[in-house]
């Protein structure tokens, strides 16, 4: 057991004068009388209440000891433990170009993707998951981790405007490959979600796909956008954002080639429900056994001692004011 304030344990030295005071007090509490002999009373013995009185004082000292321990703040010990889980390595590469604000999804494409991705992560117990965003450039938001709460929080913090506008699918995929290639799981997969066509960047999408194939990484591509037209955000002459219906253009050929090259699969999401179904299907990814190290943090553990102090003091009071009650 660890203590946050171990110096308070020195208060246990108070027990020495308290016990000494109690012994001295008991010896000088009653008046004495001189008699010629006490032989007739030798076989009577000590009354039960005298032993009960000593027992009550012991209860009070024990209650005081528990209070001292509470003040010293007992804590549970930090520890690492290793467990074997079924899991896979996954990196989600999410397009955050301005077109992801189109409102053919509710409330828009980006928020719908974040919501479904968060639910997907919450159900992937034991997986190593990382997050990459891309627009005209790519960025690693979160290296791979098994902490699902951290992943969900990072996904919820993804905002439009974090990167220069554009759609660099190849760069986004290349960054995701760099994040996942050192993973320990046998199964490695990238989920790439975009609503447009590659129009900028350094790495060509199919070049990145070939690299992924050589490293044994599957890429599941998702084209986000309804069929026909969708309300896209545009800045008017006054600098305000207004929504204009424009044709939905997704380079499905490139996305299909990326998926087929790597042994993955291409999906077309035309609405919130379809997007959710796609992530449910990807949820059936191959799993593999992997060792997971868990860290448990230090926490205060004073409650049992506080309950023990109250219980001991309560029993002592009950005995004093019932069985050992005295007439003033």
């Amino acid at each position: 057991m660890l203590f946050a304030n171990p110096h308070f344990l020195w208060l246990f030295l108070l027990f020495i004068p308290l016990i000494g005071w109690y012994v001295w007090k008991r010896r000088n509490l009653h008046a004495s009388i001189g008699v010629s002999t006490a032989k007739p009373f030798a076989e009577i013995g000590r009354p039960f209440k005298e032993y009960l009185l000593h027992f009550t004082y012991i209860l009070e000292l024990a209650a005081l000891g528990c209070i001292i321990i509470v003040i010293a703040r007992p804590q549970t010990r930090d520890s690492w433990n290793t467990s074997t889980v079924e899991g896979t390595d996954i990196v989600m590469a999410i397009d955050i170009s301005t077109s992801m604000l189109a409102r053919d999804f509710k409330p828009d494409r980006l928020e719908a993707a974040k919501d479904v991705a968060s639910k997907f992560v919450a159900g992937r117990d034991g997986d190593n998951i990382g997050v990459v965003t891309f627009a005209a450039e790519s960025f690693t938001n979160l290296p791979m981790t098994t902490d699902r709460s951290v992943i969900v929080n990072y996904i919820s913090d993804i905002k439009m405007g974090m990167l220069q506008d554009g759609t660099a699918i190849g760069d986004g995929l290349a960054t995701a490959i760099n994040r996942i290639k050192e993973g320990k799981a046998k199964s490695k997969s990238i989920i790439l979600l975009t609503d447009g066509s590659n129009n900028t960047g350094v790495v060509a999408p199919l070049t990145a796909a070939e690299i992924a194939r050589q490293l044994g990484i599957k890429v599941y591509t998702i084209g986000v956008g309804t069929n026909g037209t969708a309300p896209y955000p545009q800045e008017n002459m006054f600098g305000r954002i207004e929504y204009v219906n424009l044709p939905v253009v997704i380079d499905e050929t490139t996305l299909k080639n990326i998926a087929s090259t790597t042994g993955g699969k291409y999906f077309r999401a035309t609405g919130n429900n379809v997007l959710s179904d796609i992530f449910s299907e990807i949820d059936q990814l191959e799993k593999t056994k992997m060792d997971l190290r868990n860290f448990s943090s230090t926490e205060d553990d004073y409650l049992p001692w506080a309950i023990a102090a109250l219980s001991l003091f309560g029993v002592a009071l009950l005995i004093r004011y019932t069985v050992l009650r005295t007439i003033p």
Side-chain angles (χ1 to χ4, degrees):
M1 180 182 296
L2 298 177
F3 293 94
N5 304 313
H7 52 278
F8 281 110
L9 296 177
W10 287 102
L11 292 174
F12 275 105
L13 293 177
L14 292 173
F15 279 40
I16 297 175
L18 287 174
I19 295 173
W21 171 82
Y22 178 77
V23 173
W24 177 84
K25 178 183 176 182
R26 295 307 303 171
R27 286 183 177 179
N28 297 277
L29 183 62
H30 303 290
S32 60
I33 184 172
V35 295
S36 59
T37 179
K39 188 175 181 180
F41 305 98
E43 297 180 359
I44 295 178
R46 295 182 178 226
F48 167 74
K49 289 187 177 180
E50 183 175 349
Y51 291 105
L52 193 60
L53 187 64
H54 300 324
F55 176 70
T56 302
Y57 191 66
I58 293 174
L59 290 179
E60 292 172 347
L61 289 179
L64 177 60
C66 290
I67 293 174
I68 293 173
I69 292 177
V70 169
I71 296 174
R73 286 182 60 193
Q75 297 178 326
T76 56
R77 184 184 298 273
D78 296 346
S79 62
W80 286 94
N81 61 79
T82 304
S83 58
T84 301
V85 297
E86 295 283 341
T88 185
D89 290 339
I90 299 174
V91 170
M92 289 186 289
I94 302 175
D95 186 351
I96 59 169
S97 59
T98 304
S99 59
M100 286 291 287
L101 292 177
R103 294 186 173 177
D104 48 349
F105 287 66
K106 301 297 181 184
D108 56 49
R109 292 174 180 174
L110 179 59
E111 291 301 319
K114 287 165 55 177
D115 179 62
V116 175
S118 296
K119 293 177 181 177
F120 172 80
V121 169
R124 299 292 298 189
D125 189 16
D127 288 344
N128 257 330
I129 300 178
V131 180
V132 168
T133 54
F134 66 92
E137 51 192 342
S138 60
F139 178 73
T140 301
N141 295 71
L142 181 68
M144 290 193 299
T145 176
T146 57
D147 192 330
R148 289 177 293 171
S149 61
V150 171
I151 303 169
V152 171
N153 288 336
Y154 266 87
I155 292 175
S156 65
D157 288 340
I158 294 175
K159 304 294 182 184
M160 193 66 60
M162 295 172 64
L163 301 173
Q164 183 179 350
D165 197 24
T167 306
I169 296 176
D171 286 7
L173 180 55
T175 300
I177 292 171
N178 284 332
R179 295 282 72 80
I180 199 173
K181 66 181 182 179
E182 301 300 332
K184 296 180 179 181
K186 293 181 180 179
S187 176
K188 297 180 177 64
S189 305
I190 295 173
I191 301 174
L192 188 146
L193 186 147
T194 183
D195 69 341
S197 303
N198 189 77
N199 54 28
T200 186
V202 177
V203 182
L206 295 182
T207 300
E210 181 60 28
I211 296 173
R213 184 190 68 79
Q214 293 175 3
L215 295 173
I217 302 169
K218 294 181 180 179
V219 181
Y220 294 83
T221 54
I222 303 175
V224 182
T226 188
N227 294 314
T229 61
Y232 283 87
Q234 287 191 348
E235 187 175 324
N236 60 23
M237 59 183 298
F238 301 105
R240 297 178 180 177
I241 297 296
E242 58 183 20
Y243 286 83
V244 179
N245 282 326
L246 296 173
V248 176
V249 180
I250 300 176
D251 189 356
E252 291 191 284
T253 301
T254 297
L255 296 179
K256 288 178 180 178
N257 287 336
I258 292 173
S260 62
T261 298
T262 62
K265 189 175 181 180
Y266 169 71
F267 303 90
R268 176 66 184 270
T270 56
N272 292 61
N273 292 334
V274 178
L275 183 60
S276 180
D277 292 341
I278 290 171
F279 271 87
S280 296
E281 183 172 344
I282 297 176
D283 192 40
Q284 305 304 316
L285 291 171
E286 175 187 356
K287 294 179 179 289
T288 183
K289 287 187 177 181
M290 57 192 298
D291 290 334
L292 176 66
R293 295 196 73 198
N294 298 312
F295 177 72
S296 58
S297 61
T298 301
E299 295 182 358
D300 287 341
D301 192 26
Y302 62 85
L303 186 58
W305 297 100
I307 294 174
L310 290 174
S311 301
L312 291 169
F313 191 67
V315 173
L317 284 179
L318 181 65
I319 295 174
R320 282 196 180 277
Y321 289 96
T322 54
V323 180
L324 298 178
R325 184 176 181 180
T326 59
I327 299 175

